[in-house]
Structure formats: C-alpha cells, structure tokens
Amino acid sequence: MAPETESKMYDTPQFEIPSAVRELAERNVAQVRQSYEQVVSLMQKAQEAAMKSQGAMAQSALEIQAKTLEFAQANVMANFSFAADLARARDLTEYLAVQSRYAQAQLETYAKQSQEITRLMNAAAHKSQP
C-alpha cells in the first residue's frame, strides 16, 4: 500500500453537516428570534404600564427589575447568536469550537451580571435603612 493511501486511512473522518440542514436551522432560529422579539416588546409595554400605575413601587425595585429584564434579553440574544453559529458550523470540529467559545463567554457574562444584581440589591438595602 502506498504511504499516501495509508495516511488517508488513518485520518479522522469529518462529519459534514449538509447545507440544507444548516439552512433549515438558520430559518428556524430567525423565526424563533422574531417571535421572541414580539414577546419582549409586549413585556416592555406591560412593564411600562405597571410602572405608571404603581407609583408607590420603590425606585430600587424598579431598577433591579429593569436590569434583570435587560440581562435576560441579552442572554436570550446570546443564545440566538449561539444557535445561529451552530447552524452555520460545517463540521463537528467547528461545532465543538462554537460550543466552547459560547460556554466560556456566558460564564463570564453570568458572573458580571450576578455582580451587578448584587450591587443593586445592596444599594437598595442601604436606601431602605433609616
């Protein structure tokens, strides 16, 4: 057997994701994103209405609620971006690299978000003390 043929036998086969599957996944992500954006719009309108009608609600609680909603939206958008990146992956190696980058980025994001919510809650606690 020729050395060239022999080396090809031992190469790791690449799992190619068919373009039709990638295109379907991208369309699905786009449709879900559009639905999500409609829900977020409705939630924001509801929040605005609640803030107008609940004048007695503490400003700190409103800040925490707004920040939590902001973080939730950012996390969902990151998930959509992640899903789109996965849908475009051409092979298993690229797929796994996308997952790894996403996991690392989200861990950092969650840590920062947690610190910010903790800071807001501590500030609220200090404001409520006489």
Side-chain angles (χ1 to χ4, degrees):
M1 196 177 282
E4 187 177 308
T5 306
E6 192 172 306
S7 71
K8 286 184 181 180
M9 287 177 42
Y10 296 107
D11 287 344
T12 305
Q14 292 292 324
F15 174 72
E16 176 101 15
I17 300 170
S19 63
V21 172
R22 291 193 314 266
E23 290 170 10
L24 177 63
E26 287 182 45
R27 279 195 309 273
N28 287 343
V29 169
Q31 289 173 348
V32 171
R33 179 179 288 188
Q34 182 181 13
S35 296
Y36 164 76
E37 288 171 355
Q38 290 172 347
V39 169
V40 167
S41 176
L42 291 173
M43 287 175 53
Q44 288 172 333
K45 289 176 184 174
Q47 182 183 24
E48 290 168 7
M51 288 191 313
K52 289 177 184 174
S53 67
Q54 298 291 330
M57 189 182 282
Q59 183 64 29
S60 296
L62 290 174
E63 289 174 13
I64 293 168
Q65 180 185 19
K67 188 56 74 173
T68 302
L69 181 58
E70 176 187 325
F71 288 159
Q73 289 172 310
N75 292 337
V76 169
M77 295 310 288
N79 288 334
F80 282 130
S81 179
F82 170 57
D85 290 346
L86 283 179
R88 287 189 291 273
R90 298 200 181 276
D91 58 41
L92 186 58
T93 301
E94 188 177 348
Y95 188 91
L96 294 174
V98 167
Q99 283 187 321
S100 178
R101 283 192 307 270
Y102 172 78
Q104 183 177 2
Q106 282 307 109
L107 285 174
E108 292 171 10
T109 297
Y110 293 152
K112 290 176 185 174
Q113 290 172 350
S114 177
Q115 290 171 351
E116 178 64 12
I117 294 296
T118 300
R119 185 191 67 74
L120 288 172
M121 293 180 85
N122 286 335
H126 288 297
K127 286 180 186 177
S128 68
Q129 294 177 353

